[in-house]
Amino acid sequence: MSLRTGGPALAPLRTARWALLAAFGLLVASTQLLWISLAPVTGEAARALGVSEGAVGDLAGLEPVVYVLLAIPAGRWMDRRFGPALTLGALLTAGGALVRAAGPDSYAWVLAGQVAIALGQPLVLNATTKVAARWFPPAERATAISVASAGQFVGILVAATTGGLLLDAGGLRLLLGVHAAVATAGALAVLVALRLPAAFEADATGPTSLRWLRRDPLMWRLAALLFVGVGVFNAVATWLDPILDAFGHPGVGGGLIALMTVTGIAGAAVLPGLAARRDRRRLVLVATTGLTVTVFGLLSVVHELWLVTGALGLLGFFLLAGLPVALDWSELEAGPGRAATATAFLLLAGNLGGAVLVLVVQALMGTPHLALAALAVAAVPGVLVALRLPDHAPAAAV
């Protein structure tokens, strides 16, 4: 229900909500930037910190583990106490980044900062649909969710493309310092933006039991689709370079992953809004899963670089757009009062899918054709699940 029905009282919120969304998008991007800060420079970071490359890899590995453990509790708390939950998430994100920057030569300091960042991540990412539900009218919520979701991909892209440049220019001190500055700016902007009153009621007012979630088949189908979609993307991002190297295309994997991410950002900006306005969310998710099967089935037998480039660029456009489409649908299904819990559940499924499919592909890396075919096979159940989605989503609560 709207807290304000119109007139002059709404004017400040109309002009400020996009600034609030921009601030939140920057914070979301920061969580991903901080998550994989050292992944593109693992070897150099290990030498600078005096540890093994495996120890540096463990820093990034913290995030998905902590998210799986805390996703649902964090989502339920956010549904009841949105302001304190997001405030704590912003403070942990910026605080952890500053701790890392304060000790760029100490693995202990970097680890301590990474733990704080990992604890803050679910309190930030789970707010994606809640921000849309609290400040945006129903007609704009899909777009708001798309922008916030795209922040995740932007953060990953920036980390992947600038890590080496920053390290070469000023070592870990500059790399961690710049990333801390970005995170601090995002956190401060969100803390200021949270002073704006909500335009719509979105706090949980009824029972907070998870019984509704266990009995909601649509939520489980959306979770299954994100298990596949996020899992496929994570597996590709992890193993594409050695797979293409085996096919005689060395050194191009990183560029193709960046291409998938760029086209994915474009898709996340365009497709969810169109799907929401025309009530074609099911069509987008069916097309995404079907395209995933087709692309990896084709690439498992045909390896020309031009075809790989075009196919992955096209797939990225649809694959990454699937996340905001599913999140938008979950907010309509669960309602604003349970939006954060619904988001937590779906992102939890995506994290689990990422872990499982990365391991599946790793087990098949000795035969790269089978590794790609496995991704096609993994997406087949996604097509079947997407076909069982309802034709239309429920109307948005106002």
Side-chain angles (χ1 to χ4, degrees):
M1 179 178 293
S2 172
L3 297 179
R4 297 162 183 80
T5 56
L10 265 180
L13 288 173
R14 290 191 184 114
T15 58
R17 62 177 175 249
W18 292 103
L20 182 151
L21 182 63
F24 179 67
L26 178 59
L27 183 62
V28 168
S30 297
T31 66
Q32 306 306 288
L33 176 67
L34 298 174
W35 169 31
I36 60 169
S37 289
L38 302 182
V41 293
T42 298
E44 299 92 329
R47 288 189 290 273
L49 295 170
V51 297
S52 68
E53 292 189 8
V56 174
D58 289 340
L59 295 172
L62 276 172
E63 240 78 0
V65 172
V66 172
Y67 191 89
V68 167
L69 294 174
L70 297 184
I72 299 299
R76 296 179 70 188
W77 182 38
M78 181 162 280
D79 277 330
R80 295 191 298 269
R81 300 291 304 278
F82 174 81
L86 183 54
T87 296
L88 180 58
L91 292 175
L92 285 169
T93 301
L98 290 171
V99 167
R100 297 194 319 175
D105 301 322
S106 167
Y107 184 78
W109 279 77
V110 174
L111 176 61
Q114 202 72 25
V115 169
I117 292 164
L119 292 172
Q121 184 173 246
L123 293 170
V124 175
L125 298 186
N126 289 352
T128 300
T129 54
K130 205 76 171 179
V131 166
R134 287 173 67 88
W135 280 284
F136 287 81
E140 296 178 354
R141 285 177 191 167
T143 300
I145 291 170
S146 299
V147 171
S149 298
Q152 295 188 45
F153 313 136
V154 170
I156 292 171
L157 181 63
V158 171
T161 56
T162 65
L165 296 175
L166 290 172
L167 190 78
D168 291 342
L172 280 185
R173 185 172 299 277
L174 179 63
L175 178 96
L176 298 180
V178 169
H179 290 183
V182 173
T184 301
L188 290 175
V190 165
L191 294 179
V192 171
L194 281 175
R195 299 173 63 186
L196 293 170
F200 300 90
E201 179 59 60
D203 290 331
T205 56
T208 58
S209 168
L210 293 177
R211 188 174 301 142
W212 69 273
L213 182 57
R214 293 194 295 268
R215 297 179 177 178
D216 192 321
L218 176 60
M219 290 298 303
W220 285 90
R221 288 168 187 162
L222 293 175
L225 290 174
L226 288 190
F227 182 96
V228 172
V230 175
V232 165
F233 181 77
N234 284 7
V236 172
T238 303
W239 299 116
L240 183 63
D241 195 61
I243 287 174
L244 292 181
D245 185 55
F247 292 148
H249 305 302
V252 301
L256 290 180
I257 294 165
L259 173 64
M260 283 188 72
T261 307
V262 169
T263 59
I265 292 169
V270 173
L271 286 180
L274 288 175
R277 285 194 295 273
R278 300 180 182 182
D279 197 13
R280 292 294 184 267
R281 297 173 180 86
R282 177 182 181 272
L283 177 61
V284 171
L285 295 175
V286 170
T288 299
T289 51
L291 185 62
T292 302
V293 174
T294 302
V295 164
F296 289 109
L298 180 63
L299 295 185
S300 68
V301 295
V302 184
H303 314 127
E304 279 78 4
L305 187 57
W306 66 268
L307 179 62
V308 174
T309 301
L312 292 180
L314 176 63
L315 180 61
F317 185 84
F318 284 89
L319 189 62
L320 298 191
L323 174 62
V325 169
L327 292 180
D328 171 46
W329 203 340
S330 77
E331 189 271 330
L332 295 175
E333 176 71 8
R338 298 186 293 209
T341 302
T343 298
F345 178 62
L346 295 188
L347 294 182
L348 171 60
N351 274 274
L352 290 174
V356 170
L357 290 187
V358 165
L359 293 175
V360 168
V361 173
Q362 181 181 15
L364 297 171
M365 283 298 292
T367 311
H369 307 76
L370 290 181
L372 291 175
L375 293 177
V377 171
V380 171
V383 176
L384 301 178
V385 170
L387 288 171
R388 295 187 62 193
L389 293 170
D391 290 330
H392 303 288
V398 296

